[in-house]
Amino acid sequence: MLMASKLTPTLITWLILPSCLLIFLYSMLLTLYTAPRSHSSNSKNQILAPPKCNLLKGHWVFDPNHKPMYNSTCPFHRNSWNCIKNQRENMSRINSWKWVPEQCDLNRVDPVRFLGLMRNRNIGFVGDSLNENFLVSFLCVLRVADAGAKKWKRKGAWSGAYFPKFNVTVAYHRAVLLAKYEWRSQQLLLSDKDGVKGTFRVDTDIPADDWANIADFYDVLVFNTGHWWHYDKFPKEMSLVFFEGGKPIHPPLEMLDGFKVVLENMVAHIEKVFPKRMLKFWRLQSPRHFHGGDWNQNGSCLFDKPLEELQ
Ligand SMILES: *[C@@H]1O[C@H](CO)[C@@H](O)[C@H](O)[C@H]1NC(C)=O
Ligand SMILES: *[C@@H]1O[C@H](CO)[C@@H](O)[C@H](O)[C@H]1NC(C)=O
Ligand SMILES: *[C@@H]1O[C@H](CO)[C@@H](O)[C@H](O)[C@H]1NC(C)=O
Ligand SMILES: *[C@@H]1O[C@H](CO)[C@@H](O)[C@H](O)[C@H]1NC(C)=O
């Protein structure tokens, strides 16, 4: 998309940091929740008790010995997003942060054990570039357990990987608003407001085509949306117009109210259409932290430490 091609590696590296670090949290949760489905009762699996504390309550700790599990040879990066290969400045410092929960230990993800637990299962990510970044670090971490991992692509799935040793597919479907939306230029519209180039029709109750038919394929679904609900993505002259049941919602909704309706409808859709046995995660956002301007206004990311709690 437009956005990605304009971004320089420096601009987007801030996305990689939270992704790399969150992956450990996420993987841990995933492992814990899938554990009951394992029929084996050996001591390894008994370690997988429910978390003894709130893993989300904690802080970042700087540990110079903390290194990523992968290097620049990981084939799942898009080239311009590969901070290690592009030698982004201060990368080793950025990679030295680790998340430490307040009340209990959080071990690093063990890719062999994780993929072993996920054997014959598939994991799907749906949403915006935060999920995409998450996916890339996840694939690179998992690849450590299976050197035969290869790129996987199907119609509709932006990208992913297949891990033949474990028969596991992990893939991403780009759907920045989750709901279906399409551009309608001004000529098609009846009203003729000054400066309006057109609108985006958002069908709040219809999932975007990219993930419309994936319900039977995945065992785990990680979905998100957030950063696109912003006027820098959809300015006033190209605004979102919300539809439900094929008809415009009256009175028209502001962007954030539309966001709420979309989210409610997408969650209802997932609950109705996706199997009960599927493990579903709603992924939260990390804050934007460009410095000296937004992503398209000469902003850059000079930070090499996480934001403070109240920043
Ligand atoms: C990079 O990682 C691959 C796969 O884990 C490994 O085989 C290779 O030796 C590593 N290369 C470097 C330069 O560390
Ligand atoms: C691989 O996993 C899929 C489910 O994702 C299953 O249908 C298929 O039978 C598995 N293949 C093998 C060889 O076990
Ligand atoms: C970004 O920097 C370029 C070159 O310095 C300048 O021409 C342009 O006006 C700047 N754009 C913004 C939005 O500040
Ligand atoms: C790298 O770190 C140094 C020292 O903290 C800092 O001055 C510099 O701006 C950083 N570079 C980038 C690109 O973040």
Side-chain angles (χ1 to χ4, degrees):
M1 285 279 297
L2 263 179
M3 178 188 158
S5 60
K6 277 187 193 163
L7 291 176
T8 66
T10 322
L11 279 172
I12 46 133
T13 41
W14 68 273
L15 286 169
I16 307 289
L17 172 66
S19 307
C20 294
L21 296 161
L22 272 168
I23 202 79
F24 299 114
L25 268 182
Y26 163 71
S27 310
M28 189 67 187
L29 287 171
L30 210 56
T31 310
L32 294 166
Y33 284 113
T34 47
R37 290 169 61 185
S38 164
H39 297 302
S40 162
S41 61
N42 65 28
S43 59
K44 244 186 177 178
N45 284 331
Q46 280 162 12
I47 299 167
L48 306 172
K52 291 194 175 61
C53 74
N54 181 354
L55 295 174
L56 303 179
K57 224 175 144 199
H59 53 279
W60 297 105
V61 171
F62 187 81
D63 174 2
N65 297 319
H66 193 267
K67 299 272 182 300
M69 289 184 184
Y70 53 88
N71 58 37
S72 63
T73 66
C74 176
F76 302 123
H77 287 97
R78 279 201 257 162
N79 275 334
S80 60
W81 297 53
N82 191 337
C83 299
I84 304 177
K85 194 167 166 186
N86 294 324
Q87 302 184 325
R88 190 237 199 262
E89 251 182 273
N90 303 334
M91 204 54 210
S92 65
R93 195 162 347 138
I94 290 168
N95 279 325
S96 297
W97 292 97
K98 66 178 183 191
W99 180 256
V100 179
E102 262 167 34
Q103 308 277 334
C104 60
D105 293 331
L106 176 61
N107 295 327
R108 270 189 114 161
V109 62
D110 174 345
V112 175
R113 199 168 108 206
F114 180 83
L115 280 176
L117 286 163
M118 289 305 295
R119 188 177 292 281
N120 299 330
R121 296 188 176 99
N122 302 324
I123 305 174
F125 290 79
V126 173
D128 62 26
S129 60
L130 266 70
N131 247 359
E132 183 182 341
N133 285 322
F134 199 112
L135 173 99
V136 168
S137 13
F138 197 32
L139 296 181
C140 292
V141 166
L142 295 180
R143 181 172 168 262
V144 173
D146 188 351
K150 48 180 184 274
K151 284 185 188 166
W152 180 94
K153 184 128 180 81
R154 290 285 182 286
K155 195 165 164 270
W158 181 83
S159 184
Y162 177 65
F163 299 87
K165 221 190 233 181
F166 301 91
N167 188 29
V168 170
T169 301
V170 185
Y172 165 67
H173 302 257
R174 183 179 169 93
V176 296
L177 300 181
L178 292 179
K180 181 181 176 124
Y181 73 101
E182 65 187 15
W183 172 247
R184 300 187 309 168
S185 70
Q186 178 61 29
Q187 292 97 295
L188 297 171
L189 300 174
L190 298 174
S191 70
D192 186 24
K193 284 191 217 118
D194 287 341
V196 173
K197 293 177 187 149
T199 58
F200 286 97
R201 167 181 171 152
V202 182
D203 281 288
T204 62
D205 47 357
I206 303 177
D209 290 347
D210 303 69
W211 66 292
N213 299 306
I214 63 170
D216 296 330
F217 186 69
Y218 292 111
D219 303 274
V220 180
L221 176 74
V222 184
F223 64 106
N224 91 312
T225 181
H227 281 293
W228 280 69
W229 298 88
H230 198 275
Y231 290 102
D232 73 335
K233 292 285 200 289
F234 298 107
K236 292 265 187 259
E237 65 274 16
M238 301 161 67
S239 60
L240 302 178
V241 177
F242 298 98
F243 282 64
E244 196 164 30
K247 298 202 178 75
I249 296 180
H250 276 298
L253 301 177
E254 286 296 319
M255 189 183 278
L256 289 182
D257 294 323
F259 172 47
K260 279 183 207 151
V261 173
V262 164
L263 202 51
E264 281 165 14
N265 284 341
M266 290 300 107
V267 168
H269 171 82
I270 287 168
E271 281 176 352
K272 189 171 143 216
V273 173
F274 286 61
K276 288 271 175 291
R277 62 170 175 81
M278 182 191 268
L279 199 56
K280 299 151 190 126
F281 292 92
W282 162 246
R283 183 191 190 281
L284 299 177
Q285 290 190 68
S286 51
R288 306 159 72 84
H289 42 282
F290 289 101
H291 182 79
D294 216 328
W295 65 273
N296 55 355
Q297 284 162 0
N298 294 347
S300 60
C301 181
L302 301 172
F303 303 103
D304 52 23
K305 56 177 188 248
L307 296 176
E308 302 292 334
E309 194 167 342
L310 297 174
Q311 223 171 334

